[in-house]
Amino acid sequence: MAARHAQSLPRERRNDRRKDIMLFEFTRRDGAPSVFNDGTTFHVDQINRYGDTGSTDVSHLIDKSYGYHSSRELRWHLAERFGLTPSAVAVREAH
């Protein structure tokens, strides 16, 4: 049986799948120029995990001195840290 995309599932099932995703919101600090992608890196100043009971500060679980090249890299790092697949992690930047 072929895998179905979330949009083709009934609304109730789509909502269930969203519950399987671990959501993080972060604030960034400027980093340094990167020699890898001609851009700049950023450091995570604070990161919160959002769940059914609200938000929890999980900043102590990551290396805040590490220079991330993208939010995608941060997502992969969090997935590894929590023993999840990257598709089970969502990150958004707080504004």
Side-chain angles (χ1 to χ4, degrees), residues 12-94:
E12 305 82 42
R13 289 285 314 257
R14 279 185 277 170
N15 290 339
D16 288 345
R17 290 187 69 166
R18 287 187 188 121
K19 291 179 185 174
D20 295 339
I21 295 176
M22 195 177 288
L23 174 63
F24 295 89
E25 184 175 84
F26 70 96
T27 55
R28 70 170 66 200
R29 285 183 291 124
D30 289 337
S34 171
V35 296
F36 297 108
N37 65 358
D38 294 330
T40 59
T41 61
F42 67 91
H43 301 283
V44 172
D45 190 35
Q46 182 178 5
I47 188 160
N48 292 315
R49 177 178 177 243
Y50 285 85
D52 294 337
T53 60
S55 68
T56 304
D57 185 357
V58 293
S59 302
H60 62 283
L61 296 176
I62 64 168
D63 180 3
K64 291 173 44 172
S65 66
Y66 181 80
Y68 291 96
H69 294 90
S70 66
S71 58
R72 179 176 180 229
E73 182 182 10
L74 175 59
R75 183 171 61 98
W76 280 69
H77 180 97
L78 291 167
E80 181 179 53
R81 186 68 157 145
F82 285 90
L84 302 168
T85 62
S87 61
V89 174
V91 296
R92 67 181 181 205
E93 186 173 357

